[in-house]
Amino acid sequence: MSLANWRGARLPPRQESLLGAYCQVVAPVTREMAGVLFRSFECLDALNDSFFFMPHGPFAGEDAFVDFLCASSNDVRYAVLVGGRCVGVASLIRAVPEHGVIEVACVLYSPALRRTAPATECQLLLMRLVFEELGYRRYEWKTDSLNTPSRSAALRLGFKFEGIFRQHMVIKHRNRDTAWFSLTDSEYRELVGPAITRWLAEGVAEDGKQIVPLAMFMASGTI
């Protein structure tokens, strides 16, 4: 496959605002946003449970959590806003512009965001940024092989399972086998992007609840 016409990709901007019908995705995450997200969990244990499979955490309290989300790094962290309130975060990491590869990681949804239209739309907004604006060719999703919800989410969003990296990491004194998923620019352009866009327009009720599974749109690109 010739890439003679590919001009390379760009690093994600440190400041961004992506507006959808149900949510807004913005960078950077401010301390105020991080504090709102922390308080959206019913207790500290509930928040820390969400980090069980991640290398980060557990957190001693709100200040530690906010410091983590707002710390300076090479990654770009985005806040997911619904009605102006931060209800989730996601990061773009390990960007390799010369090869057109980037990864989405550290996805954290508050209980109010999970299994809603904004939860799906925020991922579509990041895909649009990665493929349409920044010019990437490959978008990666990696997770602990035991993290069934994360693996299911990747497949639902159109990522393809590529295999297990055995004994890949040591996380919190446990072995981690890592499941790798990816989405290519052609897959996004020809199926995934249009399918999610149409699902948001036709498969979701006015209250944001699903009335038709996204998988039905993914299966053929139409319904």
Side-chain angles (χ1 to χ4, degrees):
M1 178 175 61
S2 173
L3 294 176
N5 295 323
W6 183 63
R7 295 294 179 259
R10 297 184 290 113
L11 289 172
R14 311 300 296 188
Q15 295 188 3
E16 188 63 85
S17 178
L18 312 171
L19 184 62
Y22 293 95
C23 70
Q24 184 179 12
V25 175
V26 302
V29 178
T30 67
R31 295 189 68 85
E32 180 181 1
M33 293 174 186
V36 170
L37 180 58
F38 176 87
R39 293 187 292 274
S40 70
F41 289 83
E42 63 181 20
C43 64
L44 181 60
D45 286 345
L47 172 68
N48 283 328
D49 285 348
S50 298
F51 281 84
F52 179 80
F53 290 110
M54 298 188 197
H56 322 289
F59 303 98
E62 180 172 343
D63 287 344
F65 176 73
V66 171
D67 288 345
F68 159 69
L69 284 188
C70 299
S72 176
S73 75
N74 292 328
D75 306 332
V76 181
R77 184 158 288 137
Y78 300 84
V80 181
L81 308 182
V82 175
R85 292 179 57 83
C86 181
V87 292
V89 291
S91 299
L92 293 180
I93 71 171
R94 297 194 179 99
V96 188
E98 60 268 32
H99 297 301
V101 179
I102 198 167
E103 178 181 346
V104 61
C106 196
V107 177
L108 175 67
Y109 289 170
S110 71
L113 181 60
R114 296 169 190 166
R115 305 181 69 84
T116 67
T120 299
E121 185 181 51
C122 71
Q123 295 295 335
L124 175 64
L125 293 174
L126 288 175
M127 290 178 189
R128 285 177 179 166
L129 173 66
V130 164
F131 291 119
E132 298 182 23
E133 301 297 327
L134 301 180
Y136 284 85
R137 305 171 54 242
R138 172 183 168 89
Y139 192 37
E140 297 180 335
W141 180 301
K142 301 168 190 169
T143 187
D144 192 306
S145 65
L146 299 178
N147 190 346
T148 301
S150 181
R151 294 181 64 166
S152 297
L155 293 172
R156 177 180 177 272
L157 290 167
F159 288 80
K160 298 293 182 63
F161 176 62
E162 294 185 324
I164 302 292
F165 274 42
R166 299 178 301 160
Q167 297 187 188
H168 181 218
M169 304 173 74
V170 176
I171 301 295
K172 298 171 182 172
H173 309 292
R174 295 185 301 107
N175 172 69
R176 167 170 152 162
D177 297 338
T178 299
W180 283 49
F181 299 81
S182 72
L183 178 66
T184 67
D185 53 351
S186 61
E187 291 165 345
Y188 164 77
R189 182 175 60 252
E190 295 168 9
L191 174 62
V192 174
I196 298 178
T197 299
R198 191 169 181 191
W199 177 81
L200 287 167
E202 302 177 14
V204 177
E206 291 184 2
D207 61 2
K209 294 182 179 179
Q210 174 177 279
I211 54 177
V212 179
L214 175 57
M216 295 186 65
F217 290 83
M218 288 288 192
S220 63
T222 59
I223 186 171

